[in-house]
Amino acid sequence: MDLCHPDPGELSSGEAEELQRIKWHRKQLLEDIQKLKDEIEDVFAQIDCFETAEESRMVQKEKELGIGRKKFNMDPVKGIRYLTEHKLLTPDVQDIAQFLYKGEGLNKTAIGTYLGERDPINLQVLQAFVDCHEFANLNLVQALRVMRTKENA
């Protein structure tokens, strides 16, 4: 007698019923496994959609940031307004100063124009901008060199 595939004629009625229950449970387990595989596939598809949407948002943000930089270089006040309206920059003076300090894609003359405005907000940004620089333990000449090096970066 083959134990893996017994001849139904060799089984008692109780053994035959038990064999049928085992086959039914096996079928149910295989169906459950297939359902789990399908659910996992759906989750991976959703993750792919999310990643694609996130990449699209990042591309859009980079595009808007480039537009904001161009606007800033043409008219610094309008550029900052555009960047804050599009939530690429907060209206916080520290955030604006840090943006200007990094200066990525910004015209140095436009930065100077913005910081040279006599508007109270611009003066606060100027102070925060100066605070971004490290002048501790430097004499005046060394501090000016630091500013000059930053200007040429």
Side-chain angles (χ1 to χ4, degrees):
M1 176 171 128
D2 182 4
L3 293 177
C4 292
H5 301 287
D7 183 12
E10 296 177 2
L11 299 175
S12 68
S13 66
E15 290 172 330
E17 287 177 17
E18 184 65 23
L19 182 60
Q20 287 303 333
R21 276 196 301 276
I22 290 171
K23 286 181 179 180
W24 182 84
H25 281 291
R26 179 178 182 268
K27 181 182 174 211
Q28 293 299 311
L29 287 172
L30 290 173
E31 288 175 4
D32 288 345
I33 289 170
Q34 187 58 47
K35 285 178 187 175
L36 288 172
K37 285 181 179 179
D38 292 344
E39 287 177 18
I40 289 170
E41 189 176 314
D42 288 346
V43 168
F44 278 121
Q46 290 174 359
I47 289 171
D48 287 343
C49 287
F50 175 76
E51 288 173 348
T52 302
E54 187 63 26
E55 288 170 5
S56 177
R57 279 192 292 273
M58 293 301 289
V59 167
Q60 182 63 29
K61 183 177 178 181
E62 278 300 315
K63 190 176 181 181
E64 289 176 347
L65 191 55
I67 292 169
R69 287 178 178 140
K70 286 178 184 174
K71 285 183 179 287
F72 180 87
N73 290 335
M74 290 187 288
D75 183 334
V77 174
K78 288 181 181 175
I80 295 294
R81 186 179 314 122
Y82 175 88
L83 291 165
T84 55
E85 286 172 357
H86 287 83
K87 309 274 190 266
L88 300 167
L89 192 62
T90 70
D92 177 64
V93 294
Q94 296 293 332
D95 196 24
I96 296 170
Q98 196 63 37
F99 174 74
L100 298 177
Y101 178 74
K102 289 178 183 173
E104 296 172 7
L106 301 180
N107 180 296
K108 304 298 181 198
T109 304
I111 293 172
T113 300
Y114 184 81
L115 294 174
E117 293 283 328
R118 304 315 304 160
D119 187 63
I121 293 293
N122 295 71
L123 294 173
Q124 291 173 3
V125 172
L126 173 61
Q127 181 61 50
F129 180 79
V130 171
D131 291 342
C132 290
H133 295 79
E134 287 294 320
F135 297 120
N137 301 320
L138 299 178
N139 64 35
L140 178 62
V141 173
Q142 292 169 326
L144 290 172
R145 284 187 183 137
V146 167
M147 287 293 282
R148 181 79 174 138
T149 303
K150 173 67 180 137
E151 231 176 70
N152 292 329

